[in-house]
Amino acid sequence: MQYDIIIIGGGMVGGSLAAALRDTTLRIALVDAAPLNTQDDPRLIALTHSSHCLFSNLNIWHTLAPQAAAIKQVHVSDRGHFGKTRLNAQDVGLSALGYVIPAKYINAALDNVLKNSPHITQFRPAKLKTLTQSMEGATLTISTETGELALDAKLVIGADGSDSTVREQLGISCETTDYQQSALVTTTTLQRSHQHIAYERFHSNGAIALLPLTEQRCATIWTDKTDVIQQLMQLDDATFVAELQKQFGYLAGRLLGSSQRHVFPLKMVKIAKTVQEHVLLIGNAAHTLSPLAAQGLNLALTEVAMLAEMLIDNPHQTNWQPYIEWQQKQIATSTQLSHQLPQTFSHDFSLLNLTRQLGMISLDICPPVKRRFAWRAMGRTVNTPRLLLKRKPLA
């Protein structure tokens, strides 16, 4: 079976790329091990303004908007110290810096688009068994419920996550940094309105983030040493909320309750290379980052936008060197931010404490620096892909 592009991994990253190319004449195969995008995905996603623009351009934001809460201000603080930084949407002339939405709604919106796209064939559930390359392209063997199939394409996109089978098939090495930390994710109910403020409060071993959701609720992400997180998971709901209140304080007012808690281990994965002949890696298959700076998915969606732009402009694209150079710059910047931010706040030396507090205060009172920082955090860089800027479909 011959295709122009085969995308391995049908989650938010692979699904978004397929959706971005759905109005082209490219024949696309989407392969994923799950029957469909799981609707009980517990992740709570913080989208940058640029990622919001992407979903608007894919014409699915109208279905996401009722479940999305705007971030109008970001408030960053260091527990027990005086410095803080506040970034406001008005500082950059926007109505919102970003949005927070449960992953299951993004999954559902992408599912709906893909199942109605005539140029996209989905193989689900299906697993990649073999991948070989030649001068003309790549040949894949996948196992399905009805047997094995052979698929051919000139381009294969590996979007199959941190434990990428595509990467394994290609023999691409990776370097993993285990932070010995985990993230506890839940939804917290507030006594008062969150006023669309996203809080990130660092402590000695991690951070607690409270991000606005619809109604008087916040997405809560608590990162700490893995043994501490495991202890928190053992607490009953009332005791957990009391401990969260104690550690976070009353910046968001009184906390009333929480939903089911989920745990995700934290690690950073650096990949030796993200392109090999006819195969490109994107998303967690190409980079896995700490969630503290909200870089991972937003970086992946930036890659989606750039790839889609290049393929729409030139469907028979074969020179990927400009993309490789662009991608490596994006990964380096995001990796530095996601890795160094938690490291900076994990030390309790007096001089370092004073330096970071003064740095936070300086950022808070210097509008030009704040604007540059805010635009970078929202995904705006040199050569920003058009799909992250315009409010109408690219093709």
Side-chain angles (χ1 to χ4, degrees):
M1 304 174 73
Q2 183 70 46
Y3 295 92
D4 295 305
I5 301 174
I6 300 173
I7 301 173
I8 307 296
M12 285 185 283
V13 179
S16 293
L17 179 59
L21 298 172
R22 71 185 186 275
D23 292 327
T24 69
T25 57
L26 291 167
R27 295 165 298 167
I28 300 171
L30 188 66
V31 179
D32 195 272
L36 49 80
N37 279 338
T38 176
Q39 299 302 303
D40 58 356
D41 190 331
R43 290 175 296 171
L44 302 167
I45 304 299
L47 297 172
T48 62
H49 174 74
S50 295
S51 295
H52 156 255
C53 288
L54 172 65
F55 287 134
S56 293
N57 289 330
L58 297 186
N59 199 30
I60 64 172
W61 185 254
H62 65 283
T63 65
L64 299 177
Q67 307 298 334
I71 299 174
K72 297 184 178 180
Q73 182 186 110
V74 175
H75 184 289
V76 182
S77 60
D78 191 0
R79 183 172 179 265
H81 301 284
F82 59 86
K84 61 179 177 290
T85 293
R86 289 161 294 191
L87 302 174
N88 294 286
Q90 63 188 28
D91 293 338
V92 288
L94 296 173
S95 60
L97 293 168
Y99 295 83
V100 185
I101 182 170
K104 63 181 180 180
Y105 297 112
I106 301 176
N107 292 335
L110 289 171
D111 279 339
N112 188 58
V113 164
L114 297 177
K115 71 182 181 182
N116 294 306
S117 301
H119 297 297
I120 299 174
T121 302
Q122 296 194 65
F123 296 93
R124 320 183 66 144
K127 294 183 179 181
L128 175 64
K129 303 296 290 185
T130 64
L131 191 164
T132 57
Q133 299 193 72
S134 64
M135 293 291 291
E136 292 74 27
T139 298
L140 288 69
T141 302
I142 62 172
S143 62
T144 71
E145 292 179 315
T146 57
E148 290 194 350
L149 296 174
L151 309 180
D152 297 292
K154 294 181 180 179
L155 178 65
V156 174
I157 306 293
D160 53 342
S162 298
D163 300 318
S164 170
T165 304
V166 174
R167 196 175 66 222
E168 181 183 351
Q169 286 285 330
L170 295 176
I172 296 176
S173 62
C174 61
E175 176 186 341
T176 301
T177 300
D178 187 347
Y179 291 111
Q180 301 296 314
Q181 291 183 325
S182 295
L184 183 155
V185 177
T186 187
T187 298
T188 305
T189 303
L190 308 179
Q191 187 178 56
R192 62 168 173 81
S193 170
H194 48 57
Q195 299 178 317
H196 296 280
I197 300 174
Y199 296 96
E200 185 144 27
R201 191 160 178 76
F202 288 88
H203 55 80
S204 59
N205 294 312
I208 300 174
L210 263 62
L211 314 178
L213 286 171
T214 55
E215 303 172 348
Q216 292 182 191
R217 301 178 303 142
C218 278
T220 303
I221 302 95
W222 186 338
T223 63
D224 210 317
K225 293 180 179 178
T226 296
D227 59 343
V228 173
I229 294 298
Q230 290 301 327
Q231 292 171 18
L232 293 172
M233 289 295 292
Q234 301 304 314
L235 301 178
D236 60 66
D237 289 348
T239 305
F240 170 76
V241 172
E243 184 64 19
L244 177 61
Q245 186 85 75
K246 175 183 176 182
Q247 296 299 323
F248 184 79
Y250 287 83
L251 288 172
R254 185 173 294 279
L255 311 179
L256 300 182
S258 67
S259 65
Q260 183 178 358
R261 285 161 262 163
H262 302 271
V263 176
F264 299 92
L266 301 187
K267 61 182 178 179
M268 180 178 68
V269 180
K270 292 183 178 180
I271 311 305
K273 56 182 176 179
T274 60
V275 178
Q276 183 171 301
E277 297 182 62
H278 305 284
V279 181
L280 279 66
L281 301 176
I282 63 173
N284 280 355
H287 46 73
T288 299
L289 309 177
S290 165
L292 287 181
Q295 294 291 299
L297 176 63
N298 290 296
L299 170 59
L301 294 178
T302 301
E303 293 170 334
V304 164
M306 180 59 82
L307 273 178
E309 179 176 307
M310 294 179 70
L311 288 167
I312 289 169
D313 289 346
N314 181 6
H316 304 292
Q317 176 74 242
T318 57
N319 178 21
W320 294 106
Q321 190 58 37
Y323 174 79
I324 296 171
E325 294 174 359
W326 174 89
Q327 184 191 40
Q328 291 306 313
K329 289 179 181 178
Q330 300 300 312
I331 292 175
T333 300
S334 295
T335 298
Q336 183 180 37
L337 180 59
S338 66
H339 179 67
Q340 291 189 355
L341 191 61
Q343 296 299 312
T344 298
F345 286 87
S346 65
H347 302 288
D348 203 29
F349 303 116
S350 297
L351 181 59
L352 181 58
N353 265 332
L354 178 60
T355 301
R356 72 191 184 208
Q357 301 311 312
L358 291 176
M360 293 174 72
I361 292 172
S362 299
L363 179 59
D364 197 45
I365 64 177
C366 185
V369 176
K370 284 177 69 173
R371 281 194 293 271
R372 286 196 297 272
F373 183 83
W375 280 115
R376 179 63 191 92
M378 290 187 297
R380 294 295 178 84
T381 60
V382 177
N383 297 326
T384 299
R386 298 193 301 269
L387 268 174
L388 302 184
L389 300 173
K390 294 186 177 182
R391 295 306 185 97
K392 59 183 179 180
L394 227 174

